[in-house]
Amino acid sequence: GQNCCGVERLFVYESIQSKFLSEIVPKVEALRQGVPIAVCGNDGDVDCGAMIMPAQMDIVEALVNDAIEKGAKVHCGGKRNKSLKGQFFEPTVISGITPDMRISKEEVFGPVMCVITVPNDSDDECIRLINDCNFGLGSSVYSASQDRGMKIGNSIRSGMFTVNDFGVNYLIQSLPFGGVKESGFGRFAGPEGLRACCLERSMVKDRIWGVRTSIPPAINYPIDARKGLPFGISLVKMFYSESLLAKLAGIIGLIKSS
């Protein structure tokens, strides 16, 4: 019933939305829900389990009800599964999601498929709708053209992206796993994940024998106001200017201010 990188929002192009719903709804309706282990009279033959926290059940129910009140359409599910004992929310497909609905902006973290219409089959509008959210863990684009899928994916603000697949990032342990925005920071797996387990330190020493770092007189205490500021400005120019002429001007400034 819950998956941290599970698909929550589906952006379906307007021209194929009716066909998409006609094919996906029966599949969701056919999902078997129950206890996934064969104990206490359960056969364990299920597709969708329970949710782990009672409070999350309340959140999912509130998000779905808010969407319904604002005009969304529930095709299946949309409520607690009262035929089962436990924290079960029925596998749900809901369409007609608009930006004013909480479910379009907040994390559901439950078995709910939110279908959002992309008007005029516009790639640009699709990208805008996707990024209009404070979360960004995983994302996928399905397209007959892999190049088109990659082009859209390059504009999506998320920690992970897959074209014509879902969740495969997690199976590739050499890749970093993590999100952006309110989906968190940091990564696990991959070299980035290993570095997070290390103590990273900055250590500096003089590289040239006989040459030691000293404080230039112009910026040593007590600082000479007439020379100190020009010296600091020239130092910044020398180190950070992009052009060679600007760097040279910085060096000349250092000499004059010394």
Side-chain angles (χ1 to χ4, degrees), residues 100-254:
D100 61 312
M101 300 174 184
R102 289 176 54 198
I103 204 167
S104 72
K105 302 289 177 64
E106 299 180 26
E107 184 179 43
V108 181
F109 202 38
V112 179
M113 178 183 290
C114 301
V115 179
I116 301 171
T117 305
V118 178
N120 304 315
D121 295 358
S122 168
D123 290 354
D124 290 339
E125 181 64 9
C126 181
I127 294 167
R128 187 192 71 78
L129 290 169
I130 291 171
N131 290 333
D132 186 23
C133 179
N134 290 329
F135 297 94
L137 184 58
S139 61
S140 299
V141 169
Y142 289 84
S143 173
S145 168
Q146 183 163 285
D147 289 342
R148 183 184 180 190
M150 286 298 298
K151 182 178 179 180
I152 295 174
N154 285 331
S155 298
I156 295 175
R157 289 282 295 159
S158 66
M160 298 168 290
F161 169 74
T162 309
V163 63
N164 292 332
D165 209 328
F166 157 73
V168 71
N169 315 69
Y170 185 71
L171 301 178
I172 306 173
Q173 290 295 293
S174 60
L175 292 177
F177 183 100
V180 298
K181 298 188 275 191
E182 291 186 23
S183 288
F185 55 89
R187 297 292 184 267
F188 72 82
E192 295 80 2
L194 292 174
R195 290 194 189 102
C197 299
C198 301
L199 173 62
E200 296 185 359
R201 304 171 63 195
S202 298
M203 303 178 71
V204 180
K205 67 175 184 178
D206 291 317
R207 298 179 64 182
I208 302 174
W209 183 85
V211 176
R212 298 183 181 278
T213 302
S214 61
I215 301 176
I219 55 174
N220 198 2
Y221 290 100
I223 295 176
D224 185 336
R226 293 178 298 102
K227 294 183 177 181
L229 183 58
F231 186 93
I233 293 173
S234 298
L235 193 65
V236 171
K237 286 183 178 180
M238 183 188 74
F239 279 121
Y240 301 111
S241 294
E242 294 183 358
S243 71
L244 290 176
L245 286 177
K247 287 181 179 294
L248 181 60
I251 295 173
I252 294 172
L254 289 175

Side-chain angles (χ1 to χ4, degrees), residues 32-67:
R32 299 159 298 179
Q33 190 170 41
V35 179
I37 52 178
V39 296
C40 302
N42 301 292
D43 59 16
D45 194 15
V46 302
D47 304 300
C48 184
M51 298 179 65
I52 61 172
M53 297 173 290
Q56 192 63 32
M57 284 277 287
D58 296 336
I59 292 173
V60 173
E61 187 174 51
L63 291 174
V64 171
N65 289 342
D66 173 76

